[in-house]
């Protein structure tokens, strides 16, 4: 009986170990976008320090109830966004951030610096993209 219990416990623990990485990847979903907009997750992320200037320059986009401090943000996802048209919109669902500040940043292909597109409290964030480039979604803490 002890062997059977030990075997079952081992199987449950192994299943949990292999399941956690699969679920950890599903934090952000593309809810909707204009036709011609496509995204692909980047293999390398951006460092929070690289977004400090964008936070300072986009301070008017940060609502009063939101906290977006470059020293207190975590980059959740970085990816490549491709727009077939000049103006494209994308809306992302960021899971488990209902009462937390989230921000959407963008670095156009021909730009030299990041830009803060939007910031709000909650689990949904959207932005308008005028060109193809790299996006980053962060959460403030």
């Amino acid at each position: 009986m002890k062997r059977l219990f030990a075997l079952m416990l081992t199987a449950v623990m192994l299943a949990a170990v292999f399941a956690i990485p699969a679920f950890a990847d599903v934090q952000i979903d593309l809810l909707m976008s204009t036709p011609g907009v496509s995204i692909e997750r980047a293999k390398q992320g951006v460092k929070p320090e690289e977004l400090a200037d964008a936070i300072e320059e986009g301070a008017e986009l940060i609502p009063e109830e939101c906290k977006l401090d470059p020293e207190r943000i975590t980059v959740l996802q970085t990816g490549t966004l491709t727009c077939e048209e000049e103006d494209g919109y994308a809306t992302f669902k960021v899971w488990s951030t209902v009462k937390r500040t989230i921000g959407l940043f963008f670095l156009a292909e021909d730009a030299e610096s990041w830009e803060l597109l939007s910031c709000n409290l909650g689990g949904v964030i959207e932005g308008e993209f005028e060109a193809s480039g790299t996006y980053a979604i962060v959460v403030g803490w």
Side-chain angles (χ1 to χ4, degrees):
M1 186 69 168
K2 288 182 181 180
R3 282 187 180 176
L4 179 61
F5 181 71
L7 184 60
M8 287 176 31
L9 184 60
T10 303
V12 168
M13 289 175 60
L14 283 173
V17 166
F18 290 112
I20 289 172
F23 289 117
D25 233 9
V26 185
Q27 296 184 70
I28 300 172
D29 292 323
L30 178 65
L31 284 180
M32 61 183 163
S33 65
T34 54
V37 171
S38 61
I39 65 163
E40 185 177 320
R41 285 193 64 177
K43 293 182 179 151
Q44 270 191 321
V46 62
K47 295 179 182 167
E49 312 74 70
E50 296 177 53
L51 303 173
D53 290 340
I55 292 173
E56 187 177 315
E57 291 172 12
E60 71 279 353
L61 297 174
I62 303 172
E64 194 173 300
E65 66 273 8
C66 294
K67 295 179 183 177
L68 200 62
D69 181 347
E71 294 179 8
R72 296 181 59 113
I73 60 172
T74 300
V75 178
L76 297 177
Q77 188 178 79
T78 305
T80 304
L81 184 128
T82 306
C83 294
E84 291 178 6
E85 302 292 324
E86 281 190 26
D87 291 326
Y89 291 89
T91 303
F92 298 90
K93 170 67 177 164
V94 186
W95 297 97
S96 301
T97 58
V98 173
K99 294 185 180 184
R100 295 187 182 168
T101 301
I102 53 176
L104 176 61
F105 294 84
F106 188 65
L107 177 65
E109 288 178 338
D110 58 348
E112 294 180 14
S113 60
W114 286 90
E115 173 187 4
L116 176 63
L117 293 182
S118 61
C119 176
N120 62 9
L121 283 179
V124 177
I125 193 157
E126 61 185 8
E128 178 182 0
F129 303 90
E130 297 177 358
S132 298
T134 305
Y135 71 89
I137 298 174
V138 305
V139 64
W141 46 276

